[in-house]
Amino acid sequence: MPRTAIVVCAGGPARAALPIVPGDVLVIAADAGIVEAERLGLRVDLLVGDLDSAPEDAIARAPRVERHPVDKDASDLELAVAAAVAADARRIVVVGGDGGRLDHLLGNAFLLASDRWADVEIDAVLGDARIWVVRDERTIEGDVGDLVSLYAVGGPTRGVTTRGLRWALHDGELVPGSSLGLSNEFVEPQATVRVRDGVVLAIRPGTT
């Protein structure tokens, strides 16, 4: 079975329910994400980052630490995702908050859609929101009536077909900067999003 990793980042608590993961999941904390991991009751296997914000006592509890310089060219989350890929994870669930800075939140979302992780299934829980990175086809979940927005990342996404959403797309196209995919709605508890070319971020916002 392909290995699953949970990567926990900082930014406040994750308030949405976490997706189901296997019991032998690899848990990687990105710097102060170790505090959130411990709050969620997750056993951290690896702590990654420049560790400028992780408490010293939490660092001491980590069984493995991969410390990077403060002056670096990648965020702590990027380093943690790279560590998960290096550990042969083929599914990664990113968990963290949505507080703090808007640029961090957007940067984290765009990072998940990077072509570097094209061979990995990635989704995330950030605060109240759930995010799925869609390449080829993904099943997304929500209650009937929940909102979900579909955004093209990195260029036009072609051949977009949806099922289980109120406003269906049939071999359609989404382009960055368009609001075409904004505020769709679940009409079934599970929906599918399929793309022929490109990457889509499917974002189900919180209800609070």
Side-chain angles (χ1 to χ4, degrees), residues 85 89-92 116-122 133 135:
V85 173
R90 287 298 172 261
R91 181 189 178 207
I92 298 175
R116 291 177 61 190
W117 331 123
D119 295 330
V120 183
E121 182 180 284
I122 296 181
V133 180
R135 292 183 171 88

Side-chain angles (χ1 to χ4, degrees), residues 110-156:
F110 293 147
L111 170 67
L112 303 184
S114 169
D115 287 342
R116 291 177 61 190
W117 331 123
D119 295 330
V120 183
E121 182 180 284
I122 296 181
D123 52 345
V125 175
L126 297 178
D128 289 327
R130 181 79 186 273
I131 301 174
W132 295 264
V133 180
V134 183
R135 292 183 171 88
D136 298 325
E137 182 174 321
R138 293 292 307 272
T139 298
I140 63 177
E141 302 93 26
D143 293 331
V144 172
D146 281 355
L147 298 177
V148 62
S149 294
L150 307 178
Y151 295 111
V153 179

Side-chain angles (χ1 to χ4, degrees), residues 29-198:
D31 206 326
I34 192 170
V35 176
E36 176 65 4
E38 292 180 343
R39 186 189 73 82
L40 292 168
L42 298 173
R43 177 185 54 80
V44 173
D45 299 295
L46 173 63
L47 174 61
V48 176
D50 56 26
L51 309 186
D52 63 346
S53 54
E56 288 297 329
D57 59 336
I59 296 173
R61 288 192 294 272
R64 290 179 55 212
V65 177
E66 185 180 298
R67 188 185 292 266
H68 293 261
V70 173
D71 294 329
K72 59 189 188 306
D73 296 329
S75 69
D76 293 323
L77 176 57
E78 183 172 355
L79 294 170
V81 171
V85 173
D88 294 326
R90 287 298 172 261
R91 181 189 178 207
I92 298 175
V93 179
V94 175
V95 178
D98 57 0
R101 291 167 42 181
L102 177 60
D103 57 338
H104 278 184
L105 183 61
L106 291 175
N108 288 346
F110 293 147
L111 170 67
L112 303 184
S114 169
D115 287 342
R116 291 177 61 190
W117 331 123
D119 295 330
V120 183
E121 182 180 284
I122 296 181
D123 52 345
V125 175
L126 297 178
D128 289 327
R130 181 79 186 273
I131 301 174
W132 295 264
V133 180
V134 183
R135 292 183 171 88
D136 298 325
E137 182 174 321
R138 293 292 307 272
T139 298
I140 63 177
E141 302 93 26
D143 293 331
V144 172
D146 281 355
L147 298 177
V148 62
S149 294
L150 307 178
Y151 295 111
V153 179
T157 305
R158 299 182 175 89
V160 183
T161 299
T162 63
R163 186 174 69 249
L165 299 180
R166 182 176 179 184
W167 293 283
L169 288 170
H170 301 284
D171 200 30
E173 180 176 280
L174 295 173
V175 297
S178 169
S179 60
L180 175 62
L182 177 68
S183 295
N184 212 321
E185 185 177 310
F186 284 87
V187 294
E188 299 176 13
Q190 288 189 327
T192 59
V193 181
R194 185 170 67 248
V195 302
R196 187 177 66 247
D197 299 301

